[in-house]
Amino acid sequence: MEVKFFTRHGSMVMVLFLLVFCSWIPIEVVGRTGATIGNATGSSSSPRVLRIGVLFTLNSVIGRSAKAGVSAAIDDVNANKSILPRTKLEIMLHDTNCSGFLGTVEALQLMENDVVAAIGPQSSGIAHVISHVVNELHVPLLSFATDPALASLQYPYFIRTTPNDYFQMYAIADLVDHYRWREVIAIFVDDDNGRNGISVLGDALAKKRAKISYKAAFPPGAPMSNISDLLNQKSLISKLKSRKDNETSGFNSYAFYAYDSVWLAARALDTFLNEGGNISFSSDPKLQDTNSSMLHFSALRVFDGGDKFLQTIQRTNFTGVSGPVQFDMDKNLIHPAYDIMNIGGFGTRRIAYWSNYSGLSVIAPEVLYMKPPNISSSNQQLYSVIWPGETTVTPRGWVFPNNGKPLRIAVPNRVSYLEFVAKDKNPPGVKGYCIDVFEAAIKLLPYPVPTEYILFGHGDRNPSYDDLTNQVAQNNFDAVVGDITIVTNRTRIVDFTQPYMESGLVVVVPVKEIKSSPWSFLKPFTAKMWLVTGAFFVFVGAVVWILEHRHNEEFRGPPRKQLITVCWFSFSTMFFSHRENTVSALGRLVLLIWLWVVLIINSSYTASLTSILTVQQLSSQIEGIDSLISGTQPIGIQEGSFAKKYLIDELNIAPSRIVTLKNMEAYVDALQRGPKNGGVVAIVDELPYIQLFMSNTNCKFRTVGQEFTKSGWGFAFQRDSPLAVDLSTAILQLSENGELQKIHDKWLLKRDCTAQLDDEDSNKLSLSSFWGLFLICGIACFLSLVVFFVRVFCQYTRFSPEPEQVDEETPRERPSRRNLKSTSFKDLMVFVDKKEAEIKEILRQKSNKRRRSQSLDEQSSSSPS
């Protein structure tokens, strides 16, 4: 891709470098200028003449254009009565001759003329040298050099009046990211500007997970034939057409930058003088001529007000012909923006804008500045591009040519679980689930990737997967495709893709079926649950009897009958078959809540008992990984698996307990023989292998416990390989469109062994699952009893007879305290046992009697004595 930096007026500024993909891509990034000049206030007393130095390569496109811009600006400033009204600006023009050495000499000669500011140079290399000179002499340097390194604190007097290459590099990085290119070849001029610009580009691409795969440098001033030779040698392209440079030698964007630079100096001088600044120069004692020197260092003098003038320039703010002229804290022009042009033949077409405020957009940055910033990927837009060959199909970018080397992909030469990956007599030489996933993902990449599969291992046993990943890290292979588990020690040396298969270590054991017991109906509940449930049946029955006894004839009668009624009522609610009706409000409330509790308990009991009686129950002496850790019996693992290292290093299992097994038949034999006959008590392996193993052995074995590690399988690549990122995206696409599941079903869909091992208490319902229900019911019963007894006590206080009037002269034996208590409690029990209707009748009669007595007392008190 050819990248050029242009102004809004269409004139070329500089060809910085080329990004080469599969073809010459005609896209240009163009700088933006345009607006009018503002006004400033005039000055009072000032020098009659001020000199401004100008350094350009006059015999160049930029130099000729800049010279015209400077001359026009000087004429306009001198004709303007509001800027430096009593001061005339003069330019001291020196030619750098496109030479670093001659440019430095010309700069030194220029500084002998006591200039207050210097404009130029266009070369970043010369700017680096001259910046040291102006630092010493305190003369601001208004330069067109775009090297990002010039913005460092090392050059305080360097002021850049053009956009910084830093922003140009990020514009290119956004363009590369927009087209999902991951590697580029940068062709650049091997000077300070080119090297520093490419360095910034590398940083910008790294943030987009892309990189510069090759840096092709050519010397300054190299002809087009040198560039063609580099392309033919380093970029897998056979021919590059030479193109005619259509740039005009007339008025281009550098004329606008030069024009605004003069006005910047003039406005800053006007402000400087108005604020009381003085134009004076003094000798520098550090610059002394030697006896044999011909350079006249003593003629170089320091601008005394240079520091203050520099600060004035930095805070100057106006709108020039190139756009807003204002500097940020890093002395860069604010709002850097570019037009991106599509070059076709001899014509150009704008396809987008770029700015550090909004990124890529089809809307002009000036419009977007009025809106909140948005640089999200979904907001990055470009118009369609016409690519070489008059096509609108976007080039894929990173390609492998027909005569190039394909990717060297290592494949484990397995002897077991060949459904995942295995040797094949037919092309491409390998087959299996992992291979199909990789091939499907490769087809989704935006570029073709030729591959060469190379089997790793001798074929008599499974290879070491740690050795396999080390081979990739050592550049013996480009990638590994297979059942490679993503573990920590491997991620330190290679890059993995997104996992395409979930995995984790599990424990598989031999099992025996548990026969059904005649007492299976007791298994749904634990012993504590049975006791609490029975106790609540009795408790609720007693509460209902207390609440209904005074209202309901069905809850009255001899004590024996009432006891039977309570028991029958309590347990009949289990089946909702109770015959007794409840008439009190409190009794109905308690019964309603209790029936709700009974409904839930019945449903849970039925479901648990159904599971116990219908689902196959299995048992084993090993319950999970904790049982293996605490035991001493041998454990089997798959040959070549990372499980051995994990068991020894992470779980501290003795190496002598680890038994390496070669294939599925060895698994079956070791598990059936058991530890007493030279076998193993269990096998630790990854879940995908175990699922396939159990389905192929008619589900004679089962997993116990849960996965005690969580990981996955991925494809491994060398560090920083763009394929790892792109294939991760492709794997996600396979997962989303269902293709990954289809490949899984093709190779791995077998019988599903869903029966689990029986933990004796795992299917029992404990009290912890129901204590909330019992709590609700208990609270309802307690509150009902409290209300009931408060009501009874209030009635009893009204029912108890008033003490009889005893004549003082009639002696009477006073009852003892015990007799009083015994009589009161007995009366209370008798009162509670009475029916509610009887109590109400007695209370009514007492009330009538009391009213009659009060009436008689009133009549007797009113009659004469």
Side-chain angles (χ1 to χ4, degrees), residues 584-765:
S584 67
L586 294 176
R588 289 177 176 177
L589 175 63
V590 171
L591 182 61
L592 179 64
I593 295 176
W594 175 243
L595 291 178
W596 175 60
V597 173
V598 170
L599 175 63
I600 296 177
I601 292 177
N602 277 345
S603 302
S604 303
Y605 175 86
T606 303
S608 180
L609 182 61
T610 301
S611 175
I612 291 174
L613 296 179
T614 58
V615 178
Q616 182 185 18
Q617 300 296 304
L618 306 172
S619 68
S620 171
Q621 59 178 333
I622 302 298
E623 298 178 355
I625 187 61
D626 293 333
S627 300
L628 292 180
I629 295 175
S630 59
T632 58
Q633 297 171 315
I635 304 171
I637 64 165
Q638 183 183 170
E639 188 174 37
S641 172
F642 78 98
K644 180 177 181 179
K645 181 178 180 61
Y646 182 84
L647 293 178
I648 296 174
D649 296 344
E650 302 296 333
L651 303 183
N652 297 320
I653 294 178
S656 59
R657 295 180 58 193
I658 307 299
V659 178
T660 301
L661 302 175
K662 185 176 181 179
N663 50 35
M664 195 179 301
E665 291 74 17
Y667 276 27
V668 175
D669 181 65
L671 288 173
Q672 289 180 343
R673 285 192 290 130
K676 295 182 179 180
N677 299 315
V680 297
V681 68
I683 290 177
V684 175
D685 206 346
E686 295 182 73
L687 184 59
Y689 300 124
I690 295 303
Q691 290 176 335
L692 191 60
F693 167 70
M694 293 192 301
S695 63
N696 287 338
T697 55
N698 296 322
C699 301
K700 295 180 181 179
F701 309 96
R702 294 291 186 274
T703 59
V704 290
Q706 303 295 325
E707 294 180 62
F708 56 93
T709 65
K710 290 290 185 180
S711 58
W713 290 355
F715 305 127
F717 291 86
Q718 294 182 8
R719 297 302 298 268
D720 300 325
S721 171
L723 277 174
V725 177
D726 292 347
L727 277 178
S728 295
T729 304
I731 290 171
L732 290 176
Q733 291 178 341
L734 291 176
S735 177
E736 292 171 356
N737 62 25
E739 188 65 24
L740 193 61
Q741 185 62 41
K742 292 179 181 179
I743 299 174
H744 178 276
D745 295 343
K746 171 186 174 182
W747 289 97
L748 306 177
L749 186 59
K750 306 288 183 179
R751 178 181 176 184
D752 187 17
C753 300
T754 57
Q756 297 294 321
L757 293 182
D758 176 49
D759 185 357
E760 185 176 352
D761 295 326
S762 62
N763 293 324
K764 292 187 177 182
L765 301 175

Side-chain angles (χ1 to χ4, degrees), residues 217-521:
F218 59 92
M224 182 62 72
S225 58
N226 288 22
I227 302 178
S228 300
D229 293 340
L230 277 174
L231 292 174
N232 291 330
Q233 177 183 1
K234 299 296 183 183
S235 65
L236 311 164
I237 295 178
S238 60
K239 182 178 181 181
L240 180 66
K241 294 182 178 180
S242 60
R243 301 178 56 191
K244 183 178 179 181
D245 196 0
N246 296 318
E247 291 75 33
T248 175
S249 59
F251 212 66
N252 61 29
S253 61
Y254 273 99
F256 301 120
Y257 292 132
Y259 186 92
D260 285 345
S261 297
V262 173
W263 272 99
L264 173 63
R267 290 175 182 274
L269 281 171
D270 186 61
T271 303
F272 174 77
L273 294 174
N274 288 338
E275 293 177 350
N278 294 318
I279 306 297
S280 62
F281 296 83
S282 60
S283 299
D284 188 345
K286 292 183 291 185
L287 298 177
Q288 299 295 332
D289 294 333
T290 61
N291 294 331
S292 59
S293 174
M294 300 295 292
L295 296 179
H296 305 291
F297 285 120
S298 60
L300 300 176
R301 300 197 299 168
V302 177
F303 181 16
D304 296 328
D307 184 63
K308 183 178 179 180
F309 183 44
L310 174 65
Q311 298 176 15
T312 305
I313 291 176
Q314 289 180 277
R315 70 173 187 266
T316 301
N317 179 9
F318 69 99
T319 301
V321 294
S322 63
V325 179
Q326 183 180 354
F327 300 97
D328 58 19
M329 296 298 294
D330 297 324
K331 298 185 295 184
N332 291 316
L333 289 173
I334 63 170
H335 300 323
Y338 306 98
D339 292 350
I340 301 179
M341 311 299 292
N342 183 195
I343 302 175
F346 295 100
T348 60
R349 181 173 65 96
R350 182 191 298 113
I351 58 173
Y353 305 93
W354 183 93
S355 71
N356 67 333
Y357 185 82
S358 58
L360 296 172
S361 175
V362 295
I363 303 175
E366 291 82 0
V367 177
L368 297 177
Y369 292 150
M370 308 301 295
K371 301 178 180 180
N374 186 358
I375 55 175
S376 61
S377 58
S378 60
N379 197 52
Q380 307 299 293
Q381 300 177 358
L382 281 82
Y383 289 121
S384 60
V385 176
I386 301 176
W387 304 98
E390 301 298 321
T391 179
T392 58
V393 179
T394 302
R396 292 187 171 185
W398 182 34
V399 297
F400 293 88
N402 294 330
N403 59 349
K405 294 182 179 179
L407 280 182
R408 301 163 299 167
I409 298 179
V411 177
N413 192 6
R414 297 187 57 89
V415 297
S416 61
Y417 299 108
L418 301 181
E419 291 86 348
F420 294 108
V421 60
K423 181 179 179 180
D424 190 18
K425 297 180 180 179
N426 301 319
V430 288
K431 63 179 181 179
Y433 167 74
C434 303
I435 302 300
D436 282 4
V437 172
F438 180 76
E439 290 287 344
I442 283 291
K443 293 178 181 178
L444 295 179
L445 296 182
Y447 45 83
V449 180
T451 58
E452 177 188 3
Y453 294 107
I454 304 173
L455 290 172
F456 182 81
H458 301 291
D460 55 347
R461 62 179 185 177
N462 293 336
S464 170
Y465 282 40
D466 286 339
D467 292 344
L468 189 53
T469 53
N470 284 331
Q471 292 292 319
V472 176
Q474 296 170 8
N475 198 29
N476 294 326
F477 298 107
D478 296 312
V480 176
V481 171
D483 46 343
I484 311 297
T485 307
I486 304 174
V487 293
T488 304
N489 65 313
R490 296 173 186 170
T491 57
R492 295 191 180 104
I493 59 176
V494 295
D495 283 349
F496 280 95
T497 63
Q498 169 83 12
Y500 62 89
M501 167 77 86
E502 293 184 357
S503 181
L505 291 178
V506 294
V507 179
V508 63
V509 296
V511 296
K512 62 179 180 180
E513 185 176 352
I514 301 177
K515 295 182 179 180
S516 179
S517 169
W519 301 100
S520 297
F521 68 92

Side-chain angles (χ1 to χ4, degrees), residues 56-68:
F56 292 118
T57 299
L58 299 181
N59 188 24
S60 67
V61 174
I62 295 176
R64 288 190 293 269
S65 180
K67 179 182 178 181

Side-chain angles (χ1 to χ4, degrees), residues 58 76 99 182 267 336 365 437 473 532 536 580 672 699 764 839:
L58 299 181
D76 290 345
S99 168
R182 288 294 173 260
R267 290 175 182 274
V437 172
V532 173
F536 256 82
E580 294 78 10
Q672 289 180 343
C699 301
K764 292 187 177 182
I839 298 298

